[in-house]
Structures are given as C-alpha cells and as structure tokens.
Amino acid sequence: DAQTGGVKYYNADGTSAANWDKTENTTLYAQWAAEGEAGNPWSVGGEVVAYTNGAGGLVVSGTGAAGNFSKDNLAPWAAFADQIKSVTIADGVTGIGSRFFKGCTHLGTVTGGKNLVSVGENAFYQCMSLETIQLDNADVLETLKNAIVYQTAIKKDGSLYTIPSITLPGYKAVLYGTNDLGDPNGWVPVDPTKTMEESGYHFFKFVLEEDK
C-alpha cells in the first residue's frame, strides 16, 4: 500500500487493502480496471476516493474529508460529468470539497453521508437537474446552504431549474431572484415554475429555510 509512488491496491469497494494479512502465503490475482472504476478509484484528497459504478453513479468512499476543486483544478470526472446521474456518499466520508460536483448537469439524487458534516462552497455548481439531496446527518445543514446558494438557476430554454428536495427535517429549499447582485437585500422569492422572462429577474439562488 504505497504512500508515495508505487502501486496502491484497493478492495472491490474502493477501500485500501493495506490491512490485508501478508504474513501467510498469499496468492494474488490481477484484474485490471480502468481509472475511475471501483478497482482503480480516483484519489480525491486524504483517505477519500471516488469511482463510477457503470450505471451513471458516482460513489465517494473512504475516510475523512475530500479535497477542494476549482476552475483551475477540476475533478477527475469533469470530462464526463454530464453522464453522472446519482451520487452515493459512504458513511466514512466527513466532508465534500468545493465545486466537487461542478458540471454534473444530469445529477438528480445525492444520498448517504451518515457522518458528513461539511459540504464545500458551490459543491453543486451547475447541477441543474438536482432534485433530491437525502443526507443522513442534519449537522451538514449550514455548509449545505453555501453549496447550492449561488448555483445558476436558468435552463437553456429560459425556464428555472427544479428546486432540490432537501430531506433534512424542518427545512426546505426556496428559490430567490434579483437584478442587483450588489444589493444583499434585493433578493425576493421566485416561483420556480415560471421562466426567467416571466419572473422578471436575471440572477437566482437557492436558499435553505425552515419549513414552517
């Protein structure tokens, strides 16, 4: 289990094989996997890895917090981000970095995250098809607000994106619009069923609010 250089071996679920018992006679069988598959996952920071499941799903596994991405440092799946339809976050993952799912335009559901406590800013940037974020830990709420708050909310046909259904008890996602990004008090609630032209606004954001 090489720490720097060399070959690092993984179990089928993407976890490290470093704890295998190597004191007994062992027969190794090689099965080559393409980069990004379960047998050859991407390292995305610390002890966290990610891999695709072959059915439009992205699995984030391992232990601890994943790293950040940016416009100059894209996620390793950026070239085919539009093919990702679902994300599963394993229990050992405690954090998701900034712009982690940027460009996943067909991402519809995010589930898991039993121990997830932080989601980076704009983690769901350009995730225009996002319908459900079903996380198991309500402690992630405050950082989740920043993850979707400045997401562009206009489809190519001029209609607004579907507001994600946030399955965190007592909260809901609300769409706001403004014509002046410089006015922090200029945001007003917007009907997501209307087009941009019908709404009368040019800039939009999602905000998590208490569901009273």
Side-chain angles (χ1 to χ4, degrees), residues 26-106:
T26 303
T27 301
L28 296 178
Y29 297 90
Q31 181 177 358
W32 304 111
E35 184 179 17
E37 293 183 353
N40 187 18
W42 295 294
S43 176
V44 290
E47 293 298 318
V48 182
V49 298
Y51 58 90
T52 58
N53 64 9
L58 180 70
V59 179
V60 184
S61 183
T63 305
N68 297 313
F69 295 108
S70 67
K71 63 180 181 179
D72 299 317
N73 176 33
L74 301 176
W77 50 84
F80 53 89
D82 60 347
Q83 299 177 32
I84 296 173
K85 298 179 180 179
S86 66
V87 166
T88 302
I89 301 172
D91 290 349
V93 178
T94 60
I96 293 295
S98 300
R99 295 189 173 227
F100 205 80
F101 305 114
K102 177 185 180 296
C104 294
T105 54
H106 292 98

Side-chain angles (χ1 to χ4, degrees), residues 68-142:
N68 297 313
F69 295 108
S70 67
K71 63 180 181 179
D72 299 317
N73 176 33
L74 301 176
W77 50 84
F80 53 89
D82 60 347
Q83 299 177 32
I84 296 173
K85 298 179 180 179
S86 66
V87 166
T88 302
I89 301 172
D91 290 349
V93 178
T94 60
I96 293 295
S98 300
R99 295 189 173 227
F100 205 80
F101 305 114
K102 177 185 180 296
C104 294
T105 54
H106 292 98
L107 174 61
T109 61
V110 178
T111 58
K114 182 178 180 180
N115 295 302
L116 190 68
V117 294
S118 67
V119 178
E121 187 174 3
N122 292 325
F124 296 104
Y125 186 67
Q126 295 179 335
C127 295
M128 63 186 69
S129 301
L130 189 60
E131 294 183 352
T132 303
I133 301 177
Q134 183 178 345
L135 300 175
D136 299 330
N137 190 352
D139 291 340
V140 75
L141 176 63
E142 288 300 319

